[in-house]
Amino acid sequence: MNPSGGLAPSPRTLEVESLDSFDRLIAAGAVAMRGWHAQSLDLRGRKAALEALAVEGAIFLGCTFDPGVEDGLRHRGALIFPRLAGVPFDPYRARLYTPQELYAGLESAPYEDLPDACIYQWSIRAGQRHRLDATLASALHDHAIGDALDEFRNSDLCAGRTAVGVMGGHAAQRGTEEFAQAALLGRLLAQSGRLVATGGGPGAMEAANLGAYLSHTPDSDFDQALAALQSVPGFRPSVSAWAREAAAVVERHPDGTPSLGIPTWFYGHEPPNYFATHIAKYFANAIREAILLELCDGGIIFLPGAAGTVQEIFQDACENYYGAREAVTPMVLVGRRHWEEELPAWPMLQKLAAGRAMADRIFLVDSVAEALAVLDRAGTGG
């Protein structure tokens, strides 16, 4: 309690995600760790510093200590989450993934032996979802990814940039007009200063991340990349060949424009694409979908897709249906025939929107150029 009789204010949370950060805080004269969250730090050799600090209220997540230090920290009031044995990922990671990390070893090993595939195989072991240690590990991981995603969106890299989501079918094959148009959309969005965000998988998602990644290159380089990729149209039958072709494009253009992919191991049979420079991969698909929609403050463009894209349309529609006017973001459906006749989501969307704040924020167009123009008119520039 504070002197006025109310509750004392909670300590400010401080994420300590690198050993350099820890050492700088100590050098600056820190005396107490209340509110500190130390993530995956190797604190061996820091015994004296830790013993000199007041550690009550500190949280250590997956850290390593000199012998005897851990028990002392617990007795002095610190909360320690241990490293979890047999888990093929870091539940306390402090950063988003990169494609190079998820595909580490791609140049010499098959996809089935790479980190992304090994984590997926761990997640679907018989009985895994009923094991307390597995549930804890995946929940801690998803929390850490959410925290890292918040940091990314608040970083200088994203300063002043609205995020526009690009949703569409995973089945769009490289070399098709559908793939080329999705890539063009990602390119145009990035060139307009927007951050491109996708579900992080193959098909239209890969294409949009590709277009964003190469948005700074001449048209000739963009066209050459599209031509090179079509030699391996899809991730079946070989994810390895599919990913290696994408990695070759990235190697030729190592300084691509950042974009975001938010995939899930729930659909682990669909591999993450190699062109999203920052990957927030979750175990829980429901959390991943909600976060992806929430993040797209500049609106969402829905390319032709099937059940997954239809679900995303109406999940976004539900948010907009109940949202205050200032919270409603544009929804742009691309492909009149697809969304009016083949999968008639547009008529239902119109019915839902009638009389609501979202009524003037839904659009049906026929081309990606029209989609971008609609966003410009709606005032969702970068």
Side-chain angles (χ1 to χ4, degrees):
M1 303 284 285
N2 64 27
S4 66
L7 292 174
S10 300
R12 181 175 66 89
T13 298
L14 178 63
E15 305 289 345
V16 185
E17 299 170 344
S18 72
L19 202 54
D20 286 344
S21 297
F22 178 85
D23 289 341
R24 284 196 299 271
L25 289 165
I26 300 303
V31 295
M33 292 184 68
R34 177 174 289 276
W36 290 24
H37 293 178
Q39 294 179 232
S40 297
L41 302 186
D42 185 347
L43 292 168
R44 290 175 293 186
R46 304 308 194 274
K47 180 177 180 180
L50 289 168
E51 289 179 343
L53 289 164
V55 297
E56 184 177 1
I59 299 177
F60 295 88
L61 303 161
C63 296
T64 305
F65 307 96
D66 289 315
V69 170
E70 188 172 329
D71 286 342
L73 292 172
R74 283 199 179 94
H75 290 152
R76 291 160 56 210
L79 180 61
I80 299 178
F81 285 79
R83 290 182 176 272
L84 300 174
V87 176
F89 56 89
D90 180 2
Y92 312 112
R93 63 178 297 115
R95 297 172 303 280
L96 298 180
Y97 291 100
T98 65
Q100 291 80 8
E101 182 179 2
L102 291 174
Y103 283 100
L106 177 64
E107 64 280 356
S108 58
Y111 170 73
E112 290 72 20
D113 294 340
L114 306 187
D116 184 68
C118 291
I119 296 171
Y120 174 54
Q121 289 303 318
W122 173 88
S123 74
I124 61 172
R125 287 178 186 168
Q128 191 78 310
R129 292 178 182 172
H130 302 290
R131 290 173 55 96
L132 179 60
D133 56 347
T135 300
L136 179 61
S138 57
L140 287 168
H141 170 275
D142 284 2
H143 172 80
I145 288 295
D147 188 45
L149 184 56
D150 285 342
E151 290 188 11
F152 171 71
R153 280 298 284 142
N154 292 321
S155 68
D156 291 342
L157 196 64
C158 297
R161 301 174 68 190
T162 59
V164 173
V166 178
M167 313 296 183
H170 71 271
Q173 296 278 288
R174 296 167 174 174
T176 63
E177 182 62 18
E178 184 180 0
F179 188 92
Q181 286 299 303
L184 177 60
L185 175 60
R187 181 173 171 84
L188 293 173
L189 286 169
Q191 287 176 341
S192 70
R194 296 170 170 95
L195 174 70
V196 173
T198 78
M205 295 171 282
E206 180 192 35
N209 286 127
L210 164 67
Y213 186 83
L214 295 179
S215 61
H216 67 294
T217 65
D219 290 346
S220 58
D221 288 351
F222 176 63
D223 293 339
Q224 286 173 7
L226 288 174
L229 288 171
Q230 67 181 341
S231 65
V232 185
F235 66 92
R236 294 189 179 97
S238 173
V239 175
S240 303
W242 176 81
R244 285 174 186 146
E245 199 62 51
V249 171
V250 170
E251 288 169 10
R252 288 194 294 272
H253 303 279
D255 299 316
T257 300
S259 70
L260 182 64
I262 308 184
T264 173
W265 278 293
F266 184 81
Y267 294 132
H269 57 286
E270 295 179 12
N273 77 70
Y274 211 91
F275 297 110
T277 58
H278 296 74
I279 300 175
K281 191 157 190 177
Y282 288 85
F283 286 99
N285 184 53
I287 294 174
R288 165 253 189 176
E289 288 181 337
I291 287 174
L292 178 55
L293 294 175
E294 179 184 345
L295 178 136
C296 296
D297 53 355
I300 299 178
I301 298 173
F302 299 92
L303 299 172
T309 309
V310 171
Q311 176 184 340
E312 289 159 348
I313 288 173
F314 288 105
Q315 189 169 346
D316 191 27
C318 187
E319 297 285 341
N320 285 332
Y321 184 90
Y322 290 110
R325 175 171 290 278
E326 61 273 14
V328 175
T329 54
M331 301 178 64
V332 186
L333 279 60
V334 180
R336 291 180 181 276
R337 177 178 173 80
H338 186 83
W339 295 121
E340 285 186 318
E341 300 177 26
E342 295 178 20
L343 291 175
W346 176 249
M348 184 176 290
L349 187 59
Q350 284 183 302
K351 291 285 188 181
L352 281 173
R356 311 292 298 191
M358 64 185 286
D360 59 354
R361 306 288 275 175
I362 63 170
F363 308 92
L364 178 63
V365 300
D366 257 332
S367 71
V368 298
E370 290 177 274
L372 187 64
V374 161
L375 290 185
D376 288 339
R377 291 197 299 273
T380 63

